[in-house]
């Protein structure tokens, strides 16, 4: 552990991006450690990471899992590892540069200096769409999905499906990770909803989201359906669950 902050990056077949994204994070003016959670990438992603680890002076780590087990379980595995290592700030970030590495600094500052318990790199703050190189259909689908989630859940969050985030350690210690149900992209909605239900302070930080240039997107129709229909089940279950509350 060389930093108070850990960036968790789940990977599956990201050999084109992985060395570039690791170097981009390590080049930032603040020190961040990185944890790669790789789901058995057959393209050699893990081998690239392990080669880089020998040069990282303890700042780069990897957890290898067998087969594709889902985005949500990858992050929860990473969260538990981070808490065992006593990091104070734990980040979620994609490997494909859709989340600008330089904005890790702004997410960190929102939590470390401005009182946020969860900061979100948001594409849609104040209904302004900051997305580059996405097909218009996908932009509209994502934008209106977030509106839908807000209406169903009551959360005052513009980008409910965002996957670029910083958590204070106490958030992940509080929210009962083993009760998170979703494994796909709806995991991002459920995490925000749970943090919100627990009463933590959430802040959205505007970012410009860039569509990947290298590698293949993991998005598909099933992922969208899980996010849309799963949120109703999540809201219904919330009526019968008691969420731990943050101390005021």
């Amino acid at each position: 552990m060389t930093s108070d902050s850990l960036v968790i990056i789940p990977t599956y077949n990201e050999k084109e991006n992985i060395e570039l994204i690791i170097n981009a994070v390590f080049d930032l003016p603040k020190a961040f450690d990185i944890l790669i959670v790789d789901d058995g990438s057959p393209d050699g992603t893990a081998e690239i990471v392990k080669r880089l680890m020998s040069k990282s002076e303890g700042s780069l780590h990897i957890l290898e899992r067998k087969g594709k087990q889902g985005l949500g379980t990858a992050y929860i595995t990473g969260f538990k590892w981070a808490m065992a290592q006593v990091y104070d700030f734990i980040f979620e970030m994609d490997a494909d540069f859709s989340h600008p590495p330089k904005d890790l600094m702004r997410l960190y500052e929102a939590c470390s200096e401005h009182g946020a318990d969860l900061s979100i790199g948001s594409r849609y703050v104040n209904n302004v769409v900051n997305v580059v190189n996405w097909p218009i259909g996908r932009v509209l689908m994502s934008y209106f999905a977030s509106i839908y989630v807000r209406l169903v859940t009551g959360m005052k969050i513009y980008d409910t499906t965002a996957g670029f985030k910083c958590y204070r350690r106490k958030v992940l210690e509080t929210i009962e990770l083993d009760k998170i149900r979703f494994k796909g992209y709806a995991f991002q909605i459920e995490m925000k909803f749970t943090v919100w239900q627990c009463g933590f302070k959430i802040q959205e930080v505007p970012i410009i989201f860039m569509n990947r240039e290298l590698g293949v997107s993991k998005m598909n129709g099933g992922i969208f359906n899980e996010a849309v229909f799963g949120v109703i089940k999540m809201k219904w279950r919330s009526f019968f669950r008691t969420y731990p509350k943050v101390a005021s």
Side-chain angles (χ1 to χ4, degrees), residues 92-94 97-108 119-126 128-132 159 161-165 203-211:
E92 296 182 19
M93 189 172 76
D94 289 349
F97 284 92
S98 57
H99 303 145
K102 63 182 176 60
D103 287 330
L104 287 168
M105 300 290 299
R106 298 171 62 223
L107 296 182
Y108 174 76
S119 58
I120 301 168
S122 179
R123 299 163 289 186
Y124 310 128
V125 172
N126 298 323
V128 175
V129 179
N130 289 315
V131 176
V132 177
D159 195 347
T161 61
F164 190 30
K165 297 184 280 185
Q203 179 179 335
E204 289 186 86
V205 176
I207 66 162
I208 296 177
F209 182 94
M210 301 285 294
N211 194 26

Side-chain angles (χ1 to χ4, degrees), residues 45-116:
T45 297
E47 284 65 36
I48 296 171
V49 175
K50 285 184 279 191
R51 172 174 55 82
L52 296 172
M53 285 174 63
S54 64
K55 309 173 185 176
S56 72
E57 298 181 348
S59 297
L60 178 61
H61 311 272
I62 187 169
L63 296 175
E64 295 182 82
R65 309 195 306 167
K66 293 183 178 180
K68 296 180 70 175
Q69 299 180 42
L71 181 76
T73 64
Y75 272 125
I76 288 175
T77 297
F79 293 155
K80 290 180 177 180
W81 187 92
M83 288 188 287
Q85 304 301 317
V86 203
Y87 287 96
D88 294 323
F89 302 93
I90 298 99
F91 296 76
E92 296 182 19
M93 189 172 76
D94 289 349
D96 61 6
F97 284 92
S98 57
H99 303 145
K102 63 182 176 60
D103 287 330
L104 287 168
M105 300 290 299
R106 298 171 62 223
L107 296 182
Y108 174 76
E109 289 167 3
C111 288
S112 65
E113 298 178 16
H114 303 302

